[in-house]
């Protein structure tokens, strides 16, 4: 996929990022002053190429790029809801009581779905628009949700800042913004090592609240299948509140322009946001005078979708349902699922499971990703090259973006594959502050966004 974006998208990204941390004054120039639409030309769009999409082999011969089109992966066997069990599964916990695990999974299989197949299809349609440059994707939320921090105010504040960022992007880029929350199911955490050691004591690693506890005690670190039931309940409650916010008037456009968060008070970023909000208010006033009043449904509601990493496969399988209208299988734990850096093996269990569900899928990509393997992975997960099916989320930090990213884009473009590109400027730019807390320098976040946009393929942001 190849998107040609103009400076409006970069300006919107810079303006949005300005609300998250201290920003030098030189970035003020990125405030969206001119409203121009994002244009795009897709490598696999027949209407833009005067002919049908070029097959991968033909594209390889015609291209002068140094990146050759890889061989097609071996044909996949017949998929079943549990066929992933025949593959090597990484990052899965070892439960001490198999009988209790089976009982919990059978219980979850009887639970209602968290989301519905039609909603996932709608998101796929919107992501397809973003793949063609006709929309912008904004994805954000916690690295991992927790049971301890589950509170309506936390859900509200995350939802609110996503709406604020979406309003800035929509106003600056003049395209619809697809809002996806990394919420209502983002519990599991992949780990680099299966064990953690402190002061000579070695215990199993914390794998997320739906697996075990973060307290460094032997009892807390034992995988407990009952935690999956609690994770389900919290996901349902979170999504219930999100639906109420999205459709009950809380997301009304006139409210978004009035919101302000405490950390923005008496700051340069707060002043810039209020200036932009004032301009949005002026636009709303004009639309009201033209007859599009603020109580119109399009002004009082918003679409909001959820996503999380597909990591705990027994739980994901238990919430997978066959859609009665299409006959396809959907993982009804979230609208969108992604495969992570540590579980995206071409012959692995996670890829095997995801290739059979019809949800829109994400692929987390770092600077370690081989361009040839990326093309093969996309082909496994989306053999029909369906727009909106695949989103690539790059997370490689500011230092690697300029060097590594173009090779990935070129390989996908040469293969004629239709994908939606998202940049994740938070992961990959992490450093440890003197106090010991992990943080991200704002300049690195901004550089990552601008470098992604300069690659002429990005119309999305993940934080």
């Amino acid at each position: 996929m190849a998107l040609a974006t103009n400076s409006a998208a970069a300006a919107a990204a810079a303006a949005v990022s300005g609300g998250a941390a201290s920003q030098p004054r030189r970035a003020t120039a990125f405030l969206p002053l001119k409203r121009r639409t994002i244009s795009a030309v897709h490598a696999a769009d027949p209407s833009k190429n005067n002919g049908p999409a070029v097959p991968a082999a033909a594209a390889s011969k015609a291209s002068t790029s140094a990146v050759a089109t890889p061989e097609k992966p071996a044909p996949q066997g017949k998929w079943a809801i549990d066929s992933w069990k025949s593959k090597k599964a990484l990052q899965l916990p070892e439960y001490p009581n198999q009988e209790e695990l089976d009982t919990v999974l059978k219980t979850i299989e009887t639970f209602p779905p968290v989301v519905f197949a039609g909603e996932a299809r709608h998101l796929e349609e919107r992501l397809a628009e973003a793949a063609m440059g006709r929309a912008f994707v904004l994805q954000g939320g916690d690295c991992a949700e927790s049971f301890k921090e589950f509170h309506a105010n936390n859900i509200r504040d995350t939802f609110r800042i996503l709406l604020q960022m979406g309003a800035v992007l929509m106003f600056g880029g003049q395209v619809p913004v697809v809002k996806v929350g990394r919420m209502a199911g983002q519990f599991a955490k992949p780990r680099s090592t299966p064990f953690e050691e402190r002061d000579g004591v070695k215990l199993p690693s914390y794998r997320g609240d739906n697996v075990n506890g973060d307290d460094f005690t032997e009892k807390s670190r034992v995988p407990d299948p009952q935690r999956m039931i609690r994770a389900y309940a919290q996901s349902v409650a979170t999504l219930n509140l999100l639906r109420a916010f999205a459709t009950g008037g809380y997301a009304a456009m006139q409210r978004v322009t009035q919101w302000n968060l405490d950390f923005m008070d008496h700051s340069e970023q707060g002043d810039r946001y209020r200036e932009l909000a004032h301009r949005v208010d002026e636009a709303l006033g004009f639309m009201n005078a033209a007859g599009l009043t603020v109580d119109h449904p399009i002004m009082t509601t918003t679409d909001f979708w959820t996503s999380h990493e597909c990591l705990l496969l027994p739980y994901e399988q238990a919430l997978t349902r066959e859609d009665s209208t299409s006959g396809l299988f959907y993982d009804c734990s979230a609208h969108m699922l992604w495969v992570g850096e540590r579980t995206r093996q071409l012959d692995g269990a996670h890829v095997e499971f995801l290739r059979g569900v019809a949800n829109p899928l994400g692929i987390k990509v770092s600077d370690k990703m081989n361009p040839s393997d990326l093309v093969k992975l996309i082909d496994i997960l989306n053999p029909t090259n369906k727009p909106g099916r695949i989103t690539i989320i790059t997370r490689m930090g500011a230092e690697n973006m300029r060097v590594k990213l173009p090779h990935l884009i070129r390989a996908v473009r040469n293969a004629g594959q239709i994908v939606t590109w998202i940049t994740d400027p938070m992961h990959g730019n992490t450093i440890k502050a003197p106090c010991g807390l992990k943080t991200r320098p704002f300049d690195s976040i901004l550089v990552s966004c601008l470098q992604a946009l300069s690659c002429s393929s990005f119309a999305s942001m993940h934080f």
Side-chain angles (χ1 to χ4, degrees):
M1 163 216 177
L3 294 184
T5 60
N6 63 18
S7 59
V16 163
S17 299
S22 177
Q23 181 177 355
R25 284 189 175 272
R26 56 181 170 81
T28 304
F30 292 116
L31 191 66
L33 299 177
K34 296 181 179 180
R35 289 179 248 171
R36 295 185 294 166
T37 57
I38 296 176
S39 59
V41 177
H42 200 293
D45 184 359
S47 66
K48 306 299 183 185
N49 290 278
N50 299 317
V54 181
S60 176
K61 294 178 181 178
S63 174
T64 58
S65 168
V67 180
T69 302
E71 296 180 0
K72 291 285 186 179
Q76 302 295 305
K78 185 177 180 180
W79 184 88
I81 195 172
D82 61 350
S83 59
W84 63 269
K85 294 180 179 178
S86 64
K87 306 285 185 176
K88 185 176 181 179
L90 302 180
Q91 297 289 332
L92 294 186
E94 295 183 6
Y95 291 96
N97 189 326
Q98 183 63 42
E99 184 177 349
E100 182 183 15
L101 173 63
D102 293 341
T103 300
V104 167
L105 293 176
K106 288 179 181 179
T107 300
I108 295 176
E109 288 175 0
T110 66
F111 288 169
V114 180
V115 304
F116 302 101
E119 296 173 329
R121 283 194 291 271
H122 187 197
L123 173 58
E124 186 177 64
E125 294 169 359
R126 299 295 303 276
L127 291 172
E129 289 293 301
M132 304 307 299
R134 295 191 287 265
F136 192 102
V137 181
L138 176 64
Q139 182 181 18
D142 293 328
C143 290
E145 295 173 277
S146 73
F147 296 159
K148 295 176 182 177
E149 298 176 357
F150 178 51
H151 194 280
N153 289 347
N154 294 336
I155 300 170
R156 178 204 61 199
D157 289 345
T158 301
F159 179 77
R160 188 166 76 171
I161 199 167
L162 281 167
L163 289 189
Q164 285 179 303
M165 294 176 73
V168 173
L169 285 164
M170 184 167 58
F171 186 76
Q174 295 290 286
V175 292
V177 174
V178 184
K179 295 174 284 293
V180 183
R182 193 169 56 198
M183 307 169 68
Q186 177 57 14
F187 290 99
K189 293 174 67 69
R191 313 307 296 183
S192 56
T193 60
F195 293 95
E196 179 183 357
E197 187 170 347
R198 299 183 192 176
D199 301 324
V201 179
K202 188 176 181 181
L203 294 175
S205 295
Y206 168 61
R207 293 186 175 276
D209 276 12
N210 60 348
V211 176
N212 56 5
D214 60 352
D215 293 337
F216 194 72
T217 64
E218 185 175 358
K219 181 179 180 181
S220 176
R221 293 301 174 88
V222 175
D224 180 4
Q226 297 294 334
R227 285 176 167 268
M228 286 189 279
I229 293 181
R230 184 171 178 182
Y232 170 88
Q234 183 168 320
S235 298
V236 170
T238 298
L239 188 56
N240 183 57
L241 189 58
L242 290 172
R243 292 186 196 278
F245 284 150
T247 61
Y250 189 79
M253 185 60 67
Q254 66 270 25
R255 290 179 56 87
V256 174
T257 62
Q258 297 166 3
W259 288 339
N260 201 9
L261 298 179
D262 293 340
F263 71 84
M264 294 175 63
D265 288 340
H266 311 296
S267 68
E268 179 184 351
Q269 289 73 36
D271 293 339
R272 293 177 64 213
Y273 176 77
R274 280 185 287 273
E275 177 188 349
L276 185 61
H278 178 68
R279 292 168 58 196
V280 175
D281 282 337
E282 289 180 341
L284 290 175
F286 171 79
M287 289 189 292
N288 185 62
L292 183 59
T293 59
V294 294
D295 58 351
H296 190 281
I298 200 171
M299 302 295 290
T300 58
T301 63
T302 189
D303 289 325
F304 193 86
W305 289 275
T306 62
S307 65
H308 66 250
E309 180 173 359
C310 178
L311 196 61
L312 190 56
L313 290 178
Y315 176 82
E316 303 297 342
Q317 178 187 326
L319 282 172
T320 299
R321 308 282 191 268
E322 184 177 4
D323 177 34
S324 59
T325 61
S326 66
L328 300 174
F329 283 90
Y330 284 83
D331 184 345
C332 296
S333 66
H335 300 112
M336 175 183 176
L337 302 158
W338 73 77
V339 62
E341 180 78 7
R342 297 186 176 96
T343 54
R344 54 173 172 75
Q345 297 80 16
L346 299 180
D347 59 349
H350 291 80
V351 172
E352 170 64 21
F353 174 78
L354 286 174
R355 77 179 180 90
V357 296
N359 305 63
L361 305 176
I363 302 172
K364 279 289 187 77
V365 171
S366 75
D367 59 297
K368 301 180 182 67
M369 170 62 88
N370 181 286
S372 175
D373 287 342
L374 177 58
V375 172
K376 291 178 182 178
L377 180 55
I378 294 171
D379 194 60
I380 291 172
L381 296 176
N382 190 24
T384 61
N385 205 18
K386 185 179 182 182
R389 164 74 168 170
I390 298 296
T391 297
I392 300 177
I393 307 169
T394 62
R395 43 160 300 172
M396 55 187 66
E399 295 181 1
N400 290 312
M401 288 286 286
R402 190 185 304 275
V403 177
K404 302 288 186 178
L405 184 57
H407 297 291
L408 298 175
I409 295 173
R410 190 179 300 118
V412 173
R413 177 186 299 174
N414 288 346
Q417 293 171 326
I418 304 174
V419 302
T420 305
W421 292 90
I422 290 184
T423 181
D424 179 357
M426 305 301 288
H427 299 89
N429 286 316
T430 306
I431 63 172
K432 187 169 286 188
C435 63
L437 294 177
K438 290 182 178 180
T439 186
R440 289 96 175 175
F442 177 75
D443 284 347
S444 298
I445 295 172
L446 183 60
V447 168
S448 291
C449 292
L450 297 180
Q451 285 181 345
L453 289 167
S454 71
C455 287
S456 299
S457 286
F458 281 75
S460 312
M461 183 185 301
H462 174 109
F463 74 99

